[in-house]
Amino acid sequence: IKMSIFNILDKRYKNTPNKIIYRFHDSKGNVIEEKSYKDIYEESKLISLNLLQCYNIVKGDRVIICMTPGIGYITTIWACFLSGIIAVPVYPLDINKFESDLEKLYNIINDSGAKVILTNSLLNNAYFFHKFYYYFKMPSVTWINVDNFKFNLYSNNYITYFLQRYLNLLTNDKDFSYSPEISENDIAFIQFTSGSTSNPKGVALTHKNITSNLLSIFNYETIEELNIKQKNKVMISWLPPYHDMGLIGFLINSVLLDAELNFCSPFDF
């Protein structure tokens, strides 16, 4: 399969843009938020734009995703797949075991070489930052709250992007693109072990590793063959999105199968 993971989302977006692909539920089963292929595609593009153009992150950089489960987590990791940024999913810091979680995060930062941590508003507060600097001398790392990104054409980031593109055209500079070429052999993300028995250990997974693995589960050789034989599927998950089964088996696999995913936070299950 000579395509990146994002190519699959791109194909779904072009064929059925308004189809709901993700539904996030609360502890009582009520739908909190739902997103179509179009929503996920456009929001991940804008997150990608912010990261590449406003924070000077480049393809191949390692970026830790430390976020609570939800739609925002999904759009953020799809943005990494689009950008060629290597995502490093980690367990969100738990207030009840903050010291041990922080020590694991310290080891992952050092091992992965990540300089940026993507988070959301639920984890991005003064208490966490106070504890962060109080307990450990951490490596130089930038925390970015993805919830602050504006998903509209009139945001400052989009204006900056178009101004820069205009200047590049005038000076004949290389196109200012936020969609670098992604190969099937590029690393999609680094999966770390839980660290419950020893320091967390990372395994790098390429786009080809992931798509080939998912197709082998269903004993298919091509996505086209899978699409013919797997139709109108609905998936349900309460697994952590930073866990390999939750991330690969459900969040990514739902797009591969073109199957609506209904999921909730593992903290609510």
Side-chain angles (χ1 to χ4, degrees):
I1 306 167
K2 295 185 178 180
M3 63 170 61
S4 73
I5 300 170
F6 195 86
N7 290 145
I8 302 171
L9 177 64
D10 182 71
K11 182 178 179 180
R12 302 297 186 208
Y13 161 71
K14 290 175 180 175
N15 291 339
T16 53
N18 297 317
K19 177 178 178 177
I20 300 298
I21 183 60
Y22 295 118
R23 283 193 170 95
F24 185 52
H25 298 255
D26 63 17
S27 59
K28 296 181 180 179
N30 301 313
V31 176
I32 303 174
E33 193 173 7
E34 62 181 26
K35 295 289 184 180
S36 66
Y37 282 124
K38 181 175 183 289
D39 297 327
I40 297 297
Y41 183 89
E42 292 182 349
E43 290 182 18
S44 64
K45 283 268 190 180
L46 283 171
I47 293 173
S48 170
L49 168 62
N50 276 271
L51 297 178
L52 293 176
Q53 308 303 346
C54 300
Y55 290 94
N56 297 318
I57 301 171
V58 299
K59 176 185 175 182
D61 282 352
R62 285 91 187 277
V63 170
I64 289 174
I65 301 180
C66 184
M67 302 174 68
T68 50
I71 297 291
Y73 189 102
I74 293 175
T75 54
T76 300
I77 202 156
W78 277 112
C80 291
F81 296 155
L82 163 67
S83 311
I85 295 170
I86 300 173
V88 184
V90 300
Y91 191 95
L93 301 174
D94 186 341
I95 198 72
N96 296 314
K97 49 189 183 72
F98 195 86
E99 280 192 69
S100 61
D101 279 2
L102 203 54
E103 188 172 1
K104 292 175 185 177
L105 181 60
Y106 172 83
N107 290 324
I108 291 173
I109 291 171
N110 280 332
D111 194 33
S112 68
K115 298 298 183 185
V116 170
I117 298 177
L118 303 180
T119 188
N120 56 6
S121 296
L122 290 176
L123 292 180
N124 186 41
N125 56 60
Y127 175 77
F128 275 93
F129 284 113
H130 170 74
K131 290 288 186 181
F132 188 86
Y133 288 107
Y134 179 78
Y135 279 113
F136 294 96
K137 289 184 177 180
M138 299 295 284
S140 177
V141 62
T142 301
W143 287 72
I144 300 175
N145 182 2
V146 177
D147 288 344
N148 289 336
F149 295 165
K150 303 298 183 182
F151 298 124
N152 63 72
L153 289 172
Y154 302 102
S155 67
N156 289 333
N157 296 328
Y158 240 144
I159 293 171
T160 300
Y161 167 72
F162 285 115
L163 284 174
Q164 184 64 58
R165 281 195 63 126
Y166 178 69
L167 290 174
N168 287 344
L169 288 173
L170 291 178
T171 58
N172 294 318
D173 284 346
K174 186 177 179 180
D175 184 30
F176 193 67
S177 174
Y178 63 91
S179 298
E181 290 293 326
I182 310 299
S183 162
E184 61 176 352
N185 295 315
D186 287 336
I187 297 173
F189 63 90
I190 300 175
Q191 182 74 57
F192 274 85
T193 57
S194 64
S196 56
T197 57
S198 62
N199 287 338
K201 297 177 177 62
V203 177
L205 298 172
T206 66
H207 291 262
K208 185 177 181 180
N209 289 152
I210 296 164
T211 52
S212 297
N213 177 257
L214 289 173
L215 284 177
S216 67
I217 292 174
F218 301 99
N219 198 27
Y220 297 136
E221 294 184 0
T222 66
I223 294 176
E224 288 71 23
E225 182 185 2
L226 182 147
N227 288 339
I228 293 172
K229 298 180 179 179
Q230 299 282 339
K231 290 185 176 181
N232 302 318
K233 300 292 184 182
V234 176
M235 304 175 73
I236 298 174
S237 175
W238 57 90
L239 295 173
Y242 30 84
H243 183 275
D244 55 350
M245 182 61 74
L247 176 55
I248 300 173
F250 286 91
L251 297 188
I252 298 174
N253 197 24
S254 59
V255 174
L256 182 72
L257 291 172
D258 194 22
E260 175 191 306
L261 174 61
N262 292 267
F263 70 109
C264 67
S265 169
F267 302 113
D268 290 335
F269 184 71

